[in-house]
Amino acid sequence: MEKLALSDEILLRVEKPARYIGNEVNAVVKDKDKVEIRFAMCFPDVYEIGMSHLGIQILYDMFNAMEDVWCERVYSPWVDLDAIMREEKIPLFTLESQDPVKEFDFLGITIQYEMCYTNILQVLDLAQIPLLAKERGEDCPIVIGGGPCTYNPEPIADFFDLFYIGEGETQYRNLLDLYKECKRENAGRVEFLRRAAKLPGIYAPRFYEASYHEDGRLKSFVPTEEGIPPIIHKELVRDMTDTPYPLKPIVPYIKVTQDRVVLEIQRGCIRGCRFCQAGQIYRPVRERDVEVLKEYALEMLKNTGHEEISLSSLSSSDYSRLPQLIDFLIAECGKKHVNISLPSLRIDAFSLDVMSKVQDVKKSSLTFAPEAGSQRLRNVINKGLTEEMILKGAALAFRGGWTRVKLYFMLGLPTETQEDIRGIAELSNKIAAVFFEEVPKEKRTNGKVQIVASTSFFVPKPFTPFQWARQCTKEEFLDKAFLTRKAVSEQLNQKSIKYNWHEADASVLEGVLARGDRRLSKVLLRVYEKGCFYDAWSEYFHNEKWLEAFTECGLSMDFYTFRERSVDELLPWDFIDCGVTKEFLKREWEKAKGEEVSENCKEKCQGCGASRFGCGICLER
């Protein structure tokens, strides 16, 4: 096929042409005739979201460091260009070479969020690749998925040739070498997939078969050929310091969601919140060496010209060398007039002291995530945060000059009562009261405080202690949101409290896709045929089309969401070993029901199973 750069005429018809032209600073261009493997790396969402994703930057850097590989990027075209491409029959192309994706050896898709599943079909469709893996021939790329959603890949299994389970830095070289070997032998697509299925961390859905009980529950899930592993073990980076990292990240022409240098300081989390999937699947906690991080920070700022640097981790406060790293960054970034962004900090005296040094107090708001309104429910979810800690943090913040506090809660958590829901309003009211107690009238710059309380709806996820929990119905979710709003209106400081809540329909669907099985592929196919994609964007989410698709496919959303599962039920993701044992998750589920708190990894090992990797915090203990 010929090169497919979009014409000026087409670029003038779309909202943001810079999403599609490539040539950004630090983008990698190679001679395609001098590489053996071409890899198209896709984030199935709009450019601004995809360009903000660290994982793709890491893999892009790692692949392009290999002499025999050229990795290029592709994102979901926005709806305006999507319509033009269909109309003009323009195949989806990569940014670097503008060549059609179908010409590549691999199409790698990172899957971060269930509501992007229809965008995966959009990408395949525009690339003119058959949507179903079984219909692809030798002229199609190998479609491989990675990312957190692959810890239950079954709802999208029919669309993928392979899934990479775990962290991408470890097995790709072996997979690419195997591909070259099969190419030399002229072994063919299916034989490559068969051999790939025997590599650690690689799952090839075509070699597995599911059967079901009459009531719809999974009966069995087994390999269909000798030598195909019944269990897939996740891949894990054991030494975070000695691993690829993008010191020359791509700098976009337009403003993207995370327009800054990102410094990943550690992976994993010690906290063990029972609703949090990332806290389980990225165990154990592994830190990067602080001296290496200092070098990376200076190098990346030099190579990008960015004016902000952000520390990335699930819980930055738990990084053991944080004070040392922050002192260094404050000194260096101050010279260069670079801002420092510190997400995922616990609000304590140290953090507030740091934030007062690096933020403009007048502009910024502080974020707390109590997740639940009552101490009882915070114990159920193992949040490890008491009301006393929250109020003390708020008092320190108000004394330090902050006047706006954001609070994040979840509605619909297991065992939740009306008292727990009212607790959201009561806690918000207490925080507002702290402001009036702590800040004398003459020192109140704006005269008031603003508390923004936001609730999302609880979605049970695989590989969490709540994977067996029932999810609320849409009606139950909305009743809970209205009760929260009513309780806020009854508070003494109600004028200082603003309440927001999420859409219920999308949360219910997210729950269906998160814990679904292979039968959902036909629903996804049907709903895509009805014109659905960009479901993660509320303006393009059409719930009624999803409901129609489920009915037409003879499947019930209620089956996947509104029932509590038995701990003995075979789950669609049970063939994956994420490092945390099912026995540990069962123990935590029982502890949750008993409102019992588990200590974090630094205080006491809970025997989750991650110590088998022999690295990180498990080794330190």
Side-chain angles (χ1 to χ4, degrees), residues 32 61 80 134 161 271 285 357 393 427 431 495 567 570:
K32 65 182 175 187
D61 182 76
D80 51 4
K134 65 184 179 187
D161 299 303
R271 298 283 148 189
V285 172
K357 291 175 186 169
L427 182 59
I431 291 172
K495 287 183 180 171
V567 290
L570 181 65

Side-chain angles (χ1 to χ4, degrees), residues 210-214 216-221 570:
S211 67
Y212 301 90
H213 292 288
E214 276 185 28
R217 289 175 303 120
L218 189 61
K219 185 178 183 179
S220 69
F221 187 85
L570 181 65

Side-chain angles (χ1 to χ4, degrees), residues 114 269 271-281 283 314 369-372 377-385 408-414 456-469 510 514-515 585 588-589 592:
E114 292 84 358
C269 182
R271 298 283 148 189
C273 297
R274 293 178 179 132
F275 57 83
C276 178
Q277 187 187 51
Q280 305 293 343
I281 61 176
R283 289 182 178 214
L314 293 172
E371 310 293 1
L377 196 52
R378 281 195 292 277
N379 291 348
V380 168
I381 64 176
N382 207 42
K383 183 61 189 174
L385 196 61
Y408 290 111
F409 299 95
M410 268 187 278
L411 288 173
L413 286 160
S456 60
F457 296 123
F458 166 66
V459 178
K461 292 287 172 107
F463 295 111
T464 67
F466 290 162
Q467 65 180 1
W468 295 283
E510 185 188 336
R515 294 191 293 173
L585 296 175
E588 286 294 302
W589 178 221

Side-chain angles (χ1 to χ4, degrees), residues 1 71-72 79 85 87 91 115 170 174 200-201 219 261 292 302 317 342 353 355 407 420 445 471 489 560 581 608:
M1 286 192 200
C71 179
E72 305 180 42
V79 290
M85 290 175 77
E87 192 185 314
M115 299 304 283
T170 60
N174 293 336
K219 185 178 183 179
V261 159
V292 168
K302 184 182 84 180
S317 296
L342 301 166
D353 178 52
M355 281 187 271
L407 299 170
D420 299 320
T445 46
Q471 188 181 7
S489 71
Y560 292 103
T581 65
C608 73

Side-chain angles (χ1 to χ4, degrees), residues 367-609:
T367 301
F368 291 87
E371 310 293 1
S374 70
Q375 194 57 51
R376 184 199 76 79
L377 196 52
R378 281 195 292 277
N379 291 348
V380 168
I381 64 176
N382 207 42
K383 183 61 189 174
L385 196 61
T386 64
E387 184 173 290
E388 185 188 0
M389 289 175 189
I390 295 166
L391 296 179
K392 189 179 173 188
L396 287 167
F398 295 142
R399 275 184 238 142
W402 277 269
T403 56
R404 182 179 158 90
V405 173
K406 289 181 187 171
L407 299 170
Y408 290 111
F409 299 95
M410 268 187 278
L411 288 173
L413 286 160
T415 81
E416 183 183 67
T417 65
Q418 290 200 356
E419 285 69 37
D420 299 320
I421 293 171
R422 277 194 284 272
I424 292 171
E426 288 160 6
L427 182 59
S428 302
N429 184 63
K430 285 175 186 172
I431 291 172
V434 166
F435 175 80
F436 296 111
E437 288 162 16
E438 292 291 331
V439 184
K441 266 188 181 176
E442 64 276 11
K443 289 195 176 173
R444 293 175 200 164
T445 46
N446 300 326
K448 59 182 181 181
V449 65
Q450 187 179 23
I451 311 296
V452 182
S454 299
T455 56
S456 60
F457 296 123
F458 166 66
V459 178
K461 292 287 172 107
F463 295 111
T464 67
F466 290 162
Q467 65 180 1
W468 295 283
R470 80 176 287 272
Q471 188 181 7
C472 293
T473 63
K474 172 189 174 179
E475 293 69 29
E476 286 171 327
F477 276 144
L478 292 176
D479 286 347
K480 290 170 187 291
F482 292 141
L483 177 58
T484 311
R485 188 175 67 177
K486 183 174 181 293
V488 167
S489 71
E490 293 165 357
Q491 300 305 312
L492 186 64
N493 294 302
Q494 55 160 302
K495 287 183 180 171
S496 299
I497 306 168
K498 184 185 177 195
Y499 173 53
N500 304 317
W501 71 90
H502 287 209
E503 291 177 41
D505 288 331
S507 298
V508 171
L509 181 59
E510 185 188 336
V512 172
L513 297 174
R515 294 191 293 173
D517 52 46
R518 205 174 271 204
R519 293 171 296 185
L520 291 184
S521 290
K522 60 185 178 183
V523 177
L524 282 158
L525 211 48
R526 190 77 198 92
V527 85
Y528 178 69
E529 286 163 2
K530 290 175 180 286
C532 289
F533 58 98
Y534 278 114
D535 292 294
W537 297 70
S538 55
E539 63 266 45
Y540 296 109
F541 175 57
H542 303 292
N543 195 54
E544 67 288 350
K545 291 184 180 178
W546 280 93
L547 296 175
E548 286 168 17
F550 269 91
T551 304
E552 288 163 19
C553 294
L555 289 169
S556 156
M557 288 178 85
D558 296 12
F559 170 79
Y560 292 103
T561 53
F562 311 138
R563 64 186 181 93
E564 183 172 314
R565 288 144 173 81
S566 152
V567 290
D568 301 322
E569 181 176 331
L570 181 65
L571 302 170
W573 52 91
D574 275 347
F575 71 97
I576 291 172
D577 173 8
C578 83
V580 168
T581 65
K582 203 168 185 181
E583 287 64 39
F584 165 72
L585 296 175
K586 285 179 186 174
R587 286 201 305 273
E588 286 294 302
W589 178 221
E590 289 307 314
K591 280 183 164 185
K593 292 175 181 174
E595 299 169 16
E596 195 183 331
V597 173
S598 292
E599 295 99 328
N600 69 53
C601 299
K602 279 186 178 169
E603 293 169 342
K604 182 187 174 185
C605 176
Q606 299 296 325
C608 73

Side-chain angles (χ1 to χ4, degrees), residues 1-18:
M1 286 192 200
E2 60 184 279
K3 206 167 185 178
L4 283 158
L6 294 179
S7 68
D8 291 348
E9 183 266 326
I10 288 175
L11 287 172
L12 287 170
R13 285 163 60 193
V14 299
E15 185 189 347
K16 293 182 181 176

